[in-house]
């Protein structure tokens, strides 16, 4: 394997890890506040659809683009793409509020509410998609300014001459869709918010002992809704990335393909901490990249089938969720609706 | 904040006559249950005011109204003479009220500092708040004997220290009025003494303290005035100096209560249970019992005293068949007991060892199951509860439960209610009834009256004595020295997994037992 091939692998690792990372951080905010969220998958799916549908509509020829090509240098592709992301976030927030209403206000079972959101998203996206576009539940292919394209970071070509690090910067770090950078920057931001701000302190406390937060004069309901809302925003960006920032360039039925659950596994693997979450998501991204790059691996005795290679991330998910990797202690009040003592 | 500072600055000058707290006609109903009925109360500034009452008398509801957990249906609250609306805990904190809850409201994996600051941060960023809190904590620590490491994580701290954190939380929020709900329930005698020194220090500084407890000794020791509640009403408010424990107990229960256990001398028979060199090592590899020798004889109550965590729990659990021993032997009526992990609690019950566990919520009851189910757990496969090989006889079980309800005066008298719906005292009666009525040879009892009100304590004590008088053996483990001294025919003290001394109740007192509990034998020292 030469260096170029390795960088190619890293490049797709980064792209694969992005939606996982955003969803994983979404889960982190929600679960740190004591609201279990297995609806990451559904929120992402709804966001992917809403983003692709709105972008396709916004980019359709009869909508005039007032400043053609104005922002194309940033790879943003003007309003269609931005509108798409906003629509994705909006759809995901709606789902998140539904989850919040069921599990915070009505004090329902958080797992059931999460499952319901996954089913709702899987069904509604195809149904609405078919009635809008009549393409079997898909959205039209996004092209040109309706999708995200790579963003060349400054000095990429100049520094490319430096051995190893130069090409690494030019071929892996640079040239990614802007949402990749958003996801990467979200990691230190999350860590900072969690451990250095008043909001973070209260968020962590409300997931451990909501009674302590309540008696300290802080509203448990408001804290938990904020957390669920943040999760909605992050899942929205993750979904928009899936349908607008990858080679798919459009919405396809069930396109999240279990990423919400993989993100959940990564969250447990990372023990609900931001930087380890980055590591876990990169690991899953790498496995996915290996699976799609090396399809039939001949190890001499026999050929490892392509299906096995592609199943790698899911196998790791099962291993993690079965608790083989250390003991992960979730936030203590997680999954339990808060009721004032009788 | 501003209210707190205002009230803090006015103890002598502005309104010297205004009481710190004045409740006028407070009423609160939960559905058909009237938890508080037209309660009026005044607490003078700079005093310690006790509130006593049985479980369910409405003490906690009243304090929850004052701290903004509930809203009263009727009535008025005046703080420092000013009518005050308290809708939530935030309002209470603003009015200068702090509360130390019975079950601490602390985040277990946070540091002391983080817990103190939580909810009272100065700005969006934590750093300045934490630095300020650290400085203030050191000041308060010196002033009130409230030393605690600000960087310690809560779950590493002993309960006594956790309680200090709760007090510090209230002081950090400029509380002038401090409410403590059953503060000594989880403390060792030494920790309780320290707490009382802290409270006296706070009183000297002009703080007003409300102490909710059911321990009359504490009321007599530290309060200036005391209010008694019964069935949602405030039946009396008296100066502590003008009253006596017996009078307070009568006011609480509504009839005369014997604070001393009334019992005949024991008729001691032959040895029922013989324990030799018993050792237990727990899952963390710590040796909890380091060689225990005990003889338990028919017709006697053997009291085991000790500060919690010195092996009493391990002793009860190994004898009750819950944990395995790592060495030694136990015989019952000459037959060796199986002390390996193969044994279980059901087998022990068949052999005639009944067990009232220390923690009734964890080991004694299934809280969400009904009373009648809880009333026969552990004995549910006895023939009288069986219809056939496969089916239980539910009617027999329910009839049996009703009999026990009547005999033990369990209230409310409904066998279909979930165990969680009974008060602590009545829950304990369910457990005691189940174990005593199984007609055991040996009864193991752990903390029989923890969280149990005075009327029920008397009843439970009488049942235990009654069982003894039938020629059974009772092993009583309790951290309450009053209970040990009043009930036992013989006392052993445990310290660090060993028996540090044996005494007769007539020949010892609290001080000597206290020394033994600390591992010091005064007799050996003198010799």
């Amino acid at each position: 394997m030469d260096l170029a091939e390795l960088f190619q692998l890293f490049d797709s690792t980064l792209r694969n890890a992005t939606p996982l990372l955003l969803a994983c951080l979404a889960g982190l905010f929600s679960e740190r506040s004591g609201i279990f969220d297995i609806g990451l998958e559904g929120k992402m799916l709804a966001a992917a659809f809403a983003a692709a549908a709105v972008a396709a509509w916004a980019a359709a020829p009869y909508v005039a683009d007032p400043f053609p090509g104005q922002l194309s240098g940033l790879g943003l592709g003007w309003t269609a793409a931005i509108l798409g992301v906003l629509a994705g976030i909006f759809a995901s927030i709606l789902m998140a509020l539904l989850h919040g209403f069921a599990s915070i206000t009505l004090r329902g079972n958080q797992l059931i509410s999460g499952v319901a959101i996954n089913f709702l998203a899987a069904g509604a996206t195809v149904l609405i998609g078919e009635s809008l576009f009549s393409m079997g539940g898909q959205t039209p292919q996004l092209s040109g300014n309706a999708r995200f394209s790579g963003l060349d970071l400054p000095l990429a070509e100049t520094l490319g001459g430096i051995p190893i690090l130069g090409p690494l910067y030019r071929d892996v770090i640079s040239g990614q869709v802007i949402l990749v950078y958003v996801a990467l920057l979200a990691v230190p931001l999350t860590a900072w918010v969690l451990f250095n701000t008043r909001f973070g302190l209260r968020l962590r406390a409300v997931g451990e002992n909501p009674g302590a937060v309540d008696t300290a004069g802080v509203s448990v309901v408001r804290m938990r809704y904020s957390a669920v809302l943040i999760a909605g925003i992050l899942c929205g960006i993750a979904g928009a990335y899936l349908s607008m920032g990858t080679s798919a360039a459009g919405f396809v039925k069930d396109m999240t393909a279990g990423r919400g659950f993989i993100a959940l596994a990564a969250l447990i693997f990372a023990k609900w901490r931001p930087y380890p979450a980055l590591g876990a998501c990169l690991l899953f991204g790498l496995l996915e990249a290996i699976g799609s790059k090396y399809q039939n691996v001949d190890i001499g005795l026999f050929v490892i089938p392509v299906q096995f290679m592609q199943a790698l991330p899911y196998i790791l998910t099962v291993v993690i969720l079965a608790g083989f990797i250390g003991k992960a202690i979730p936030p203590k009040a997680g999954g339990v609706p808060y009721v004032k003592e009788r | 904040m501003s209210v707190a500072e205002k009230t803090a600055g006015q103890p002598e000058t502005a309104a010297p006559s205004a009481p710190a707290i004045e409740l006028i006609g407070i009423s609160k109903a939960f559905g058909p249950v009237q938890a508080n009925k037209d309660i009026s109360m005044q607490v003078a500034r700079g005093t310690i005011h006790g509130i006593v009452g049985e479980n369910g008398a409405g003490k906690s509801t009243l304090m929850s109204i004052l701290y903004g957990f509930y809203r009263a249906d009727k009535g008025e609250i005046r703080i420092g003479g000013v009518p005050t609306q308290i809708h939530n805990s935030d309002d209470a904190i603003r009015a200068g009220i702090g509360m130390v809850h019975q079950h601490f409201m602390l985040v277990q994996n946070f540091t002391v500092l983080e817990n103190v600051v939580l909810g009272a941060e100065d700005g969006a960023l934590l750093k300045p708040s934490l630095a300020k809190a650290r400085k203030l904590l050191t000041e308060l620590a010196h002033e009130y004997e409230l030393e605690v490491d600000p960087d310690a994580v809560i779950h590493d701290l002993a309960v006594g220290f956790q309680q200090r954190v709760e007090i510090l939380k209230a002081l950090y929020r400029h509380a002038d009025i401090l409410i403590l709900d059953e503060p000594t329930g989880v403390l060792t005698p030494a920790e309780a003494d320290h707490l009382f020194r802290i409270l006296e220090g706070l009183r000297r500084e002009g703080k007003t303290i409300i102490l909710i407890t059911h321990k009359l000794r504490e009321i007599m020791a530290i309060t200036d005035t005391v209010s008694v509640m019964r069935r949602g009403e405030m039946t009396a408010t008296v100066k502590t100096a003008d009253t006596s424990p017996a009078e307070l107990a009568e006011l609480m229960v509504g009839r005369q209560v014997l604070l001393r256990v009334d019992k005949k001398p024991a008729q001691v028979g032959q040895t029922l249970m013989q324990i030799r060199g018993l050792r237990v090592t727990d899952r963390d590899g710590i040796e909890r019992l380091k060689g225990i020798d005990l003889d338990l004889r028919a017709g006697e109550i053997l009291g085991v005293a000790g500060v919690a965590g010195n092996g009493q729990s391990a002793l009860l659990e190994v004898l009750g068949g819950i944990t395995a021993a790592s060495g030694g032997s136990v015989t019952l009526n000459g037959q060796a007991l199986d002390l390996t992990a193969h044994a279980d609690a059901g087998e022990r019950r068949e052999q005639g060892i009944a067990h009232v566990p220390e923690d009734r919520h964890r080991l004694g009851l299934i809280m969400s199951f009904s009373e009648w189910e809880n009333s026969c757990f552990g004995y549910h496969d006895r023939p009288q509860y069986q219809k056939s090989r496969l089916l239980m006889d539910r009617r027999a079980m329910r009839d049996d439960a009703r009999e026990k309800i009547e005999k033990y005066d369990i209230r409310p008298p409904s066998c279909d209610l979930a165990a969680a719906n009974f008060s602590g005292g009545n829950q304990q009666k369910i457990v005691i009834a189940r174990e005593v009525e199984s007609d055991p040879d040996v009864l193991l009892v752990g903390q029989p009256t923890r969280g149990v009100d005075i009327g029920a304590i008397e009843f439970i004590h009488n049942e235990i004595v009654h069982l003894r008088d039938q020629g059974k053996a009772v092993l009583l483990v309790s951290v309450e020295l009053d209970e040990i001294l009043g009930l036992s025919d013989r006392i052993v003290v445990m310290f660090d997994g060993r028996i540090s001394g044996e005494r007769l109740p007539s020949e010892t007192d609290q001080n000597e037992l206290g020394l033994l509990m600390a591992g010091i034998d005064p007799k050996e020292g003198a010799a």
Side-chain angles (χ1 to χ4, degrees):
Chain A
M1 194 196 297
D2 64 2
L3 212 55
E5 203 180 334
L6 191 67
F7 285 165
Q8 232 172 41
L9 200 62
F10 286 168
D11 177 49
S12 65
T13 297
L14 203 54
R15 281 185 276 115
N16 294 332
T18 296
L20 294 180
L21 185 56
L22 287 163
C24 189
L25 293 175
L28 191 148
F29 274 101
S30 184
E31 301 210 345
R32 279 278 190 166
S33 85
I35 303 292
F36 280 159
D37 195 354
I38 59 168
L40 295 174
E41 177 90 359
K43 285 199 281 262
M44 258 200 292
L45 193 63
F49 171 75
V54 168
W57 168 75
Y62 56 79
V63 176
D65 187 343
F67 310 104
Q70 197 77 348
L71 293 172
S72 58
L74 284 173
L76 285 179
W78 185 202
T79 38
I82 289 179
L83 277 180
V85 175
L86 291 179
I89 291 175
F90 180 73
S92 174
I93 282 182
L94 278 187
M95 292 288 197
L97 286 178
L98 192 64
H99 185 49
F101 183 66
S103 53
I104 304 170
T105 306
L106 298 182
R107 304 191 189 115
N109 184 308
Q110 299 169 6
L111 297 184
I112 292 178
S113 161
V115 170
I117 281 172
N118 290 339
F119 276 116
L120 179 66
T125 48
V126 176
L127 182 77
I128 300 172
E130 175 62 23
S131 79
L132 287 181
F133 304 107
S134 306
M135 294 173 68
Q138 300 192 8
T139 61
Q141 281 278 313
L142 300 174
S143 56
N145 60 5
R147 52 171 302 208
F148 288 105
S149 47
L151 191 65
D152 284 323
L153 294 186
L155 303 178
E157 283 310 315
T158 326
L159 296 174
I162 301 168
I164 303 181
L165 288 182
L168 183 73
Y169 181 68
R170 185 186 60 202
D171 298 340
V172 180
I173 311 278
S174 172
Q176 301 289 357
V177 172
I178 189 166
L179 298 181
V180 174
Y181 303 116
V182 170
L184 290 175
L185 288 177
V187 176
L189 188 67
T190 300
W192 182 79
V193 166
L194 212 53
F195 298 108
N196 290 293
T197 68
R198 171 174 64 190
F199 178 78
L201 184 78
R202 293 176 174 188
L203 184 83
R204 286 182 289 135
V206 85
E208 288 290 328
N209 185 356
V213 175
D214 193 10
T215 52
V218 179
S219 163
V220 172
V221 169
R222 197 179 304 159
M223 280 312 298
R224 289 193 162 168
Y225 265 108
S226 328
V228 165
L229 265 179
I230 295 173
I233 294 170
L234 288 169
C235 275
I237 302 174
Y241 174 80
L242 279 178
S243 63
M244 299 172 62
T246 61
S247 50
F251 177 83
V252 188
K253 176 177 183 287
D254 290 334
M255 74 182 306
T256 42
R259 284 187 179 84
F261 293 100
I262 294 180
L264 221 47
L267 182 61
I268 295 170
F269 193 19
K271 300 183 176 154
W272 293 268
R273 292 169 301 173
Y275 285 107
L278 173 64
C281 291
L282 286 174
L283 176 64
F284 277 111
L286 179 67
L287 288 179
E288 201 184 324
I290 291 173
S292 53
K293 186 165 172 63
Y294 305 99
Q295 307 238 306
N296 289 309
V297 182
D298 192 345
I299 58 165
L301 290 172
F302 60 95
V303 178
I304 299 175
V306 56
Q307 287 85 354
F308 178 81
M309 297 306 290
Q310 286 176 343
L312 276 178
Y314 303 93
I315 292 170
L316 181 63
T317 305
V318 170
V319 169
I320 290 172
L321 291 183
F324 285 112
I325 298 171
K327 194 177 172 196
I329 303 161
K332 207 188 276 165
V336 189
Y338 178 63
V339 186
K340 283 192 183 191
E341 51 187 327
R342 354 169 247 117
Chain B
M1 172 81 103
S2 62
V3 178
E5 279 169 359
K6 197 179 71 201
T7 44
Q10 60 170 209
E12 258 79 38
T13 52
S17 55
I21 305 167
E22 193 172 5
L23 302 178
I24 302 161
I26 299 281
S27 290
K28 172 78 186 171
F30 295 103
V33 183
Q34 191 75 34
N36 283 160
K37 255 180 277 182
D38 193 26
I39 288 185
S40 296
M41 176 178 110
Q42 288 191 354
V43 180
R45 195 183 305 283
T47 62
I48 300 182
H49 186 97
I51 296 182
V52 289
E54 296 192 288
N55 287 335
K59 305 173 300 228
S60 295
T61 305
L62 188 64
M63 289 306 115
S64 297
I65 289 170
L66 194 50
Y67 196 64
F69 255 162
Y70 304 133
R71 289 189 64 183
D73 302 333
K74 270 201 310 238
E76 191 180 311
I77 300 172
R78 291 188 188 164
I79 305 293
V82 183
T84 309
Q85 295 288 321
I86 300 177
H87 298 314
N88 52 40
S89 303
D90 198 28
D91 290 342
I93 293 165
R94 280 172 203 280
I97 301 172
M99 183 147 179
V100 176
H101 296 263
Q102 187 176 4
H103 305 286
F104 301 147
M105 292 295 179
L106 297 171
V107 182
Q108 289 290 318
N109 61 355
F110 275 22
T111 64
V112 171
L113 217 48
E114 286 173 322
N115 267 293
V116 168
V117 162
L118 178 67
E121 308 89 344
D122 292 320
L125 294 184
L126 279 184
K127 239 185 192 152
S129 302
L130 290 175
K132 183 184 141 197
R134 185 184 296 276
K135 198 165 148 275
L136 205 74
L137 242 49
T138 7
E139 289 172 23
L140 289 169
H142 288 306
E143 206 172 340
Y144 299 114
E145 295 190 61
L146 278 165
E147 287 88 359
V148 52
D149 174 10
D151 296 312
V153 178
I154 296 297
H155 57 60
D156 295 334
L157 291 177
V159 278
F161 283 92
Q162 295 191 14
Q163 191 170 57
R164 287 185 206 175
V165 179
E166 283 281 33
I167 298 174
L168 284 169
K169 260 169 73 177
L171 295 179
Y172 185 74
R173 289 160 171 74
H174 306 284
D176 281 317
I177 298 161
L178 197 62
I179 305 169
L180 295 110
D181 189 2
E182 299 284 358
T184 59
V186 290
L187 300 185
T188 64
E191 284 173 328
D193 288 344
H194 190 106
L195 173 68
F196 288 157
R197 281 205 301 281
I198 293 168
L199 294 186
E200 274 161 5
L202 290 168
R203 173 169 58 185
R204 268 198 302 280
E205 295 294 315
K207 310 269 185 199
T208 309
I209 293 162
I210 296 183
L211 180 71
I212 301 172
T213 181
H214 63 267
K215 294 184 185 171
L216 297 177
R217 199 153 47 89
E218 293 170 358
I219 290 287
M220 300 309 293
I222 190 163
T223 62
D224 300 303
T225 48
V226 54
S227 293
V228 183
M229 290 189 71
R230 184 171 78 228
R231 294 199 194 132
E233 290 179 86
M234 194 144 268
T235 50
T237 297
V238 288
K239 279 205 157 59
T240 309
D242 300 342
T243 188
S244 68
E247 188 193 1
L248 288 176
E250 198 180 327
L251 284 168
M252 275 164 70
V253 184
R255 61 181 165 82
Q256 280 216 311
V257 182
L258 280 173
L259 291 178
R260 296 293 300 183
V261 182
D262 189 23
K263 58 176 178 143
K264 293 181 298 224
Q267 302 289 319
V268 179
Q270 90 270 31
T271 300
L272 284 182
M273 186 187 262
Q274 203 169 44
I275 302 169
R276 288 292 175 267
L278 188 60
R279 291 174 175 277
V280 169
T281 305
D282 72 8
R283 247 185 299 177
D284 301 327
I286 298 164
E287 195 165 45
R288 293 291 174 192
L289 293 185
K290 302 174 178 171
I292 298 284
D293 298 310
L294 273 181
D295 286 322
L296 199 54
R297 293 170 301 184
E300 77 166 346
I301 298 172
L302 176 62
V304 180
V307 176
N310 277 287
Q312 307 97 306
S313 306
L315 180 64
L316 280 180
E317 290 190 356
V318 70
L319 293 178
I322 294 165
T323 51
S326 54
S329 69
V330 179
T331 61
L332 178 70
N333 293 321
Q335 299 246 303
L337 290 183
D338 180 6
L339 296 174
T340 64
H342 297 296
D344 61 43
E347 196 180 310
R348 291 289 153 81
R349 289 195 158 96
E350 276 170 37
Q351 290 165 330
I353 302 177
H355 181 190
V356 177
E358 290 183 296
D359 184 343
R360 61 176 166 267
H361 291 172
R362 197 166 62 86
L363 293 175
L365 295 165
I366 301 181
M367 302 305 283
S368 59
F369 278 30
S370 65
E371 196 277 341
W372 68 266
E373 286 168 306
N374 275 293
S375 166
C376 62
F377 277 140
Y379 304 101
H380 49 277
D381 45 8
R382 287 196 168 180
Q384 74 257 37
Y385 299 132
Q386 303 299 317
K387 222 175 216 167
S388 65
R389 271 172 179 273
L390 287 174
L391 297 176
M392 304 187 307
D393 189 346
R394 289 165 60 113
R395 175 175 294 173
M397 288 173 156
R398 290 163 59 98
D399 287 344
D400 184 70
R402 283 198 201 96
E403 268 174 44
K404 287 175 186 164
I405 285 177
E406 182 148 343
K407 186 170 172 195
Y408 286 81
D409 190 26
I410 295 166
R411 277 179 285 183
S414 162
C415 67
D416 292 312
L417 279 179
N421 295 338
F422 290 84
S423 71
N426 283 301
Q427 287 171 356
Q428 187 71 328
K429 280 184 183 177
I430 297 172
V431 180
I432 298 255
R434 178 180 72 206
E435 302 301 333
V436 169
E437 292 300 309
S438 75
D439 191 28
D441 290 335
V442 173
L443 179 68
L444 311 170
V445 202
Q447 320 295 352
T449 55
R450 175 180 281 171
V452 171
D453 46 57
I454 270 196
I457 288 177
E458 187 188 21
F459 187 91
I460 289 168
H461 282 174
N462 284 337
E463 273 313 310
I464 292 173
V465 172
H466 185 62
L467 195 71
R468 175 202 78 163
D469 290 343
Q470 294 171 0
K472 319 287 189 186
V474 178
L475 184 77
L476 166 75
V477 169
S478 176
V479 292
E480 302 284 347
L481 279 182
D482 285 338
E483 181 165 56
I484 291 280
L485 279 165
L487 213 49
S488 312
D489 301 309
R490 192 156 59 94
I491 299 171
V492 294
V493 182
M494 285 188 71
F495 174 73
D496 193 25
R498 291 195 181 85
I499 289 182
S500 59
E502 182 177 330
R503 295 287 185 274
L504 290 175
S506 53
E507 293 166 7
T508 187
D509 56 23
Q510 300 238 358
N511 291 337
E512 191 187 18
L513 292 181
L515 285 173
L516 285 168
M517 281 161 74
I520 303 158
D521 193 331
K523 283 188 182 166
E524 278 176 18

